[in-house]
Amino acid sequence: METLSTTTCLALQLTSSSNRLQTNLFHKPIFSFSLTPQNKFKLKLSSATSPTVSTTPPFSPELESDGEENKFDWFSHWYPIAAICDLDKKVPHARKVIGLDIVIWWDRNEGKWKVFDDSCPHRLAPLSQGRIDQWGRLQCVYHGWCFNGSGDCKFIPQAPPDGPQIHTSKKACASAYPSFEQNKILWFWPRSEPQYKDIGAKEQPPCVPELDDPSFTSLLMSRDLPYGYEVLIENLMDPAHVPYAHYGILTPNVFKMLFIFHLPVVTNTLAFSTVKADREGGMPLEINITKLDKYGFLAKQDNGFNKFVAPCLFYYFSSLSSDGEPSKSGSIKKKTSQKQILLVFYCIPVSPGKSRVLFSFPRNFAVWVDQIIPRWILHIRSNLVLDSDLYLLHLEERKLTEIGHSNWQKICFVPTKSDNSVIAFRNWLRKYSGSQFPWGTKFSAEMLPTPPKELLMDRYWSHVVNCSSCSKAVKRLKALEVALQVISIASIGIIAIRQSVMSMAAKTSVVSFAVLCFAASRWLSQFIYKIFYFHDFNHAVKSTVLDLEIIGIRNY
C-alpha cells in the first residue's frame, strides 16, 4: 500500500485508456447528466473547457464497467483499532472492528501489543474479560486456560500434569491476528490464517509521516458513533454542512480563546482564521476529483486537497508552497518554518449502523498548547462537534437503509460541486463493493428502533471509557465533587459543635464557605454530566459558544 505524504507531488490528470477520452491539465473534462425514462442518471463526457449551462453538475471521473477483478477485498487490508496512548498494558481490551470481536493485550515477553479473536477455544468465553497472569500470558478467567503471544495454549489447569499434553493441540490455540504499530496507532490484519502471520513485512498500513514527526503535535481521539461507516465517511467529506450543523460551536473567537485547533472543520481555503460558522455562511465550493481507482481517490479543493485511501483513511491537507521541489520519490522538500496543519480521519466499520472514528489534526505551530492543556479538555469541543450532527446522521442512515444503499444516486439530489467528494465515495463504493460494506449474513438486516437520545448520544461508553485521559479526569472530578460536599457538611458541623465559642463574624464566614462549597459541588455535578455523559442539541434554538456551555449558563 502506498505511503502517504501530505506534501505529495500531485499530477492533476485523469488516467487515459484506449476507450476513454484524453484529458489534461488544460482541458478539464466536464460531465453533464440527463434523466432517462427509467429515472436513472446518465453521465456524458464533454471536452469543453467551460460549461455551456449555468447549472453544471458535479465533476466525477468516468467509471469503468464492474468486474470481479475490480472488487475490493475488505479483509485484506490493515484496520486501525485504537490509539496506543489509550491502551492499558495491565489489562485486556475488547473492541469490535468490521464485525469481528477482538481482544487487545500487551505481551510483555515480546514487548508487543497482540490482537486475538475474543473467544477462548475451550467454551468460547470472551478473553477480554480475562487477565494478564504473572508470567505475562493472557488467561481466560472462566477456566484458567493461558495463552502466549502467538495464541499457543501454554497451560490447562484441568489437565493432569502426568497425562497427555493436550494443551499442545491446535484446537487449544487462540486465533491470533497480525498486529502493527504505526503513527501512534495499533492496527490489525483481519485474517488469522498462518500465511498472514508475517504480512507486516510485506505490506504496511497507510502512513501519515506528520503523526510521527517530532516537530508536529498530534493528539489522537476516538469515538464510537451510532451510524454506519458509509455515512461517517461521507459526512467528513462534506465541508458544506459545517456552518449549519455545527452552528454556534465552530467560531473564530473560540479558536483564538481556547487555542483549540483540533476541530474537524474544512472551509474552501482550509484556513482556520477565516472560518465562518454561522447559518448564513454557506458558499459555493469548488471540489474536483482528479483520480479515482480501487485504492481510493484524490480531490482538489481550491488551494488544498483531500484524499481517501481505502478502506479507512481520509485526510485533508493544504496545497504545496511555490518553493516546494519534488524529489525522485514524489515527495516535496519544504521549508521547516512553513506552518502546516492536516485533518486526518480513520473511519472504521464496526457493525451495521455502527462505526468508529479515530482522528488527529497534526500541526507544526502552537505545539506548546497541547503540552499545557490537558488532553481531556481538548476533547470537549471535539465531542460537541460530533454530537451536534449525530442524531440527524443516525436518522438519515435509517432512511437510506429503507430505500437501499444502491439507490443513493437515484434518491439524493446532489447538483453542486460541494458534494463531489461524497459522490466520488459513493461511486467508489458502488463500483468496488456493491454500494456498502459486505456484512454478509452475520447480522440481521432488520433495523432496531431508535433509542432515546440519552442512550444514542451517550459519551461515556462511546468515548470516555476508552480514553485514558477522559476516564482519569471524570474519576478525579467526581472525587472533587464528593470532597466539596464533605467540606460543606463538615463546615456546618463545626458551627454546631463550637457555636458557643465562635463569633458571629466567624459563623457567617463558615456558613458562607459551606454554601459556596455545596454550590460548587452541584455545578461540578452538572459539568461532569454534560461533558462526560450526555449533551443534548436543539438546532432550532440559537446555540451558544463553548464557554457558555461549559459553565452551564444556557441549555439547548
Side-chain angles (χ1 to χ4, degrees):
M1 186 175 290
E2 59 177 346
T3 299
L4 304 177
S5 173
T6 60
T7 54
T8 307
C9 183
L10 303 171
L12 304 180
Q13 181 178 1
L14 289 173
T15 304
S16 309
S17 62
S18 58
N19 60 346
R20 299 177 66 181
L21 297 177
Q22 295 287 336
T23 60
N24 55 44
L25 289 172
F26 305 100
H27 293 83
K28 289 185 178 180
I30 298 174
F31 286 84
S32 61
F33 68 86
S34 60
L35 197 61
T36 66
Q38 291 77 21
N39 294 327
K40 295 183 178 180
F41 285 107
K42 182 178 181 181
L43 295 176
K44 184 178 181 181
L45 180 64
S46 171
S47 60
T49 58
S50 60
T52 57
V53 294
S54 58
T55 56
T56 306
F59 167 80
S60 178
E62 183 180 359
L63 293 177
E64 298 175 354
S65 59
D66 294 345
E68 289 299 323
E69 69 279 0
N70 286 327
K71 295 302 180 181
F72 187 78
D73 186 356
W74 292 86
F75 291 86
S76 292
H77 292 272
W78 290 100
Y79 285 85
I81 307 175
I84 298 294
C85 62
D86 289 329
L87 297 176
D88 186 350
K89 294 181 178 180
K90 298 187 294 295
V91 296
H93 303 269
R95 292 291 191 277
K96 182 187 285 289
V97 180
I98 59 173
L100 299 175
D101 291 308
I102 57 176
V103 56
I104 310 161
W105 65 285
W106 176 255
D107 180 9
R108 68 169 182 258
N109 295 312
E110 295 188 27
K112 294 180 180 180
W113 288 102
K114 299 294 182 176
V115 180
F116 285 6
D117 181 61
D118 194 11
S119 179
C120 179
H122 177 211
R123 298 266 292 279
L124 308 185
L127 293 172
S128 58
Q129 297 300 308
R131 57 184 287 270
I132 312 298
D133 70 10
Q134 58 183 322
W135 294 281
R137 303 173 302 192
L138 179 61
Q139 184 183 65
C140 175
V141 294
Y142 194 21
H143 294 94
W145 289 32
C146 297
F147 307 91
N148 66 7
S150 300
D152 300 328
C153 184
K154 305 305 292 184
F155 180 57
I156 298 179
Q158 295 77 26
D162 55 349
Q165 300 297 301
I166 56 176
H167 69 274
T168 61
S169 171
K170 291 183 178 180
K171 292 184 178 181
C173 296
S175 296
Y177 297 106
S179 58
F180 200 91
E181 294 182 38
Q182 182 173 273
N183 292 151
K184 306 173 187 176
I185 296 172
L186 179 64
W187 303 70
F188 92 112
W189 187 274
R191 292 186 185 274
S192 58
E193 294 83 357
Q195 61 266 33
Y196 297 104
K197 181 179 180 180
D198 298 320
I199 189 67
K202 304 174 183 177
E203 186 171 353
Q204 291 80 41
C207 178
V208 180
E210 286 77 4
L211 291 175
D212 292 328
D213 192 331
S215 64
F216 281 72
T217 180
S218 56
L219 298 182
L220 288 159
M221 176 180 170
S222 69
R223 176 82 181 266
D224 287 1
L225 300 167
Y227 48 83
Y229 161 85
E230 300 90 343
V231 173
L232 169 62
I233 286 191
E234 70 175 28
N235 183 55
L236 296 175
M237 292 179 176
D238 174 25
H241 80 282
V242 171
Y244 304 98
H246 305 309
Y247 170 70
I249 301 174
L250 306 180
T251 61
N253 290 335
V254 175
F255 281 100
K256 297 175 183 178
M257 178 180 66
L258 296 180
F259 301 96
I260 298 179
F261 301 96
H262 307 293
L263 302 176
V265 187
V266 180
T267 65
N268 61 326
T269 61
L270 289 177
F272 286 90
S273 60
T274 61
V275 171
K276 292 184 178 181
D278 61 77
R279 286 172 179 161
E280 305 302 328
M283 65 186 72
L285 299 177
E286 187 78 12
I287 301 176
N288 291 307
I289 308 302
T290 63
K291 180 182 179 182
L292 189 151
D293 57 29
K294 184 165 65 173
Y295 303 102
F297 64 81
L298 177 70
K300 174 72 171 66
Q301 181 177 333
D302 288 339
N303 71 333
F305 296 88
N306 61 68
K307 188 169 186 178
F308 168 58
V309 182
C312 296
L313 177 60
F314 182 71
Y315 69 109
Y316 300 87
F317 54 98
S318 60
S319 62
L320 305 175
S321 59
S322 58
D323 58 349
E325 296 180 359
S327 64
K328 292 181 180 180
S329 62
S331 61
I332 298 295
K333 299 176 182 179
K334 55 185 181 298
K335 293 182 178 180
T336 56
S337 60
Q338 181 184 8
K339 290 185 178 180
Q340 297 181 18
I341 184 168
L342 293 78
L343 283 73
V344 182
F345 302 95
Y346 298 97
C347 305
I348 307 166
V350 175
S351 60
K354 295 183 180 180
S355 61
R356 182 177 303 118
V357 60
L358 178 63
F359 57 92
S360 178
F361 308 122
R363 67 179 189 278
N364 63 355
F365 59 93
V367 175
W368 59 270
V369 174
D370 293 349
Q371 299 172 351
I372 295 176
I373 300 179
R375 181 168 166 244
W376 69 270
I377 292 181
L378 298 176
H379 287 180
I380 293 176
R381 177 159 294 277
S382 294
N383 273 320
L384 277 173
V385 174
L386 292 171
D387 280 341
S388 59
D389 58 11
L390 184 152
Y391 189 67
L392 64 93
L393 291 173
H394 171 80
L395 297 181
E396 173 188 310
E397 181 183 41
R398 297 177 72 81
K399 293 180 180 180
L400 181 60
T401 303
E402 289 176 355
I403 64 174
H405 290 270
S406 60
N407 295 320
W408 186 88
Q409 288 182 313
K410 300 176 184 178
I411 302 300
C412 297
F413 180 54
V414 283
T416 67
K417 290 189 174 182
S418 64
D419 289 313
N420 270 0
S421 291
V422 176
I423 295 171
F425 172 70
R426 287 292 178 176
N427 282 342
W428 178 88
L429 201 62
R430 173 175 59 82
K431 178 183 178 183
Y432 299 110
S433 187
S435 298
Q436 61 184 331
F437 187 92
W439 297 109
T441 59
K442 181 177 181 180
F443 297 94
S444 172
E446 181 180 355
M447 291 186 298
L448 297 176
T450 296
K453 272 191 172 183
E454 289 79 3
L455 297 178
L456 189 70
M457 301 175 65
D458 168 76
R459 289 185 181 180
Y460 184 80
W461 294 106
S462 64
H463 168 69
V464 175
V465 73
N466 293 319
C467 175
S468 59
S469 179
C470 290
S471 59
K472 291 178 182 177
V474 71
K475 291 178 182 178
R476 292 170 181 172
L477 290 174
K478 282 185 174 181
L480 177 59
E481 177 191 353
V482 173
L484 289 171
Q485 294 175 359
V486 171
I487 292 173
S488 177
I489 296 173
S491 299
I492 300 299
I494 291 174
I495 296 177
I497 295 173
R498 305 190 61 183
Q499 59 178 337
S500 60
V501 297
M502 294 181 67
S503 64
M504 183 58 66
K507 292 179 182 179
T508 302
S509 298
V510 173
V511 169
S512 299
F513 180 70
V515 171
L516 183 62
C517 287
F518 181 78
S521 71
R522 302 319 302 153
W523 174 88
L524 188 57
S525 176
Q526 183 185 15
F527 173 85
I528 292 172
Y529 180 74
K530 292 184 67 174
I531 297 303
F532 299 107
Y533 289 90
F534 172 69
H535 184 101
D536 196 8
F537 279 84
N538 184 349
H539 289 280
V541 180
K542 185 177 180 180
S543 303
T544 56
V545 294
L546 179 61
D547 55 343
L548 298 183
E549 289 302 324
I550 289 180
I551 61 177
I553 290 180
R554 178 169 183 168
N555 296 319
Y556 55 93

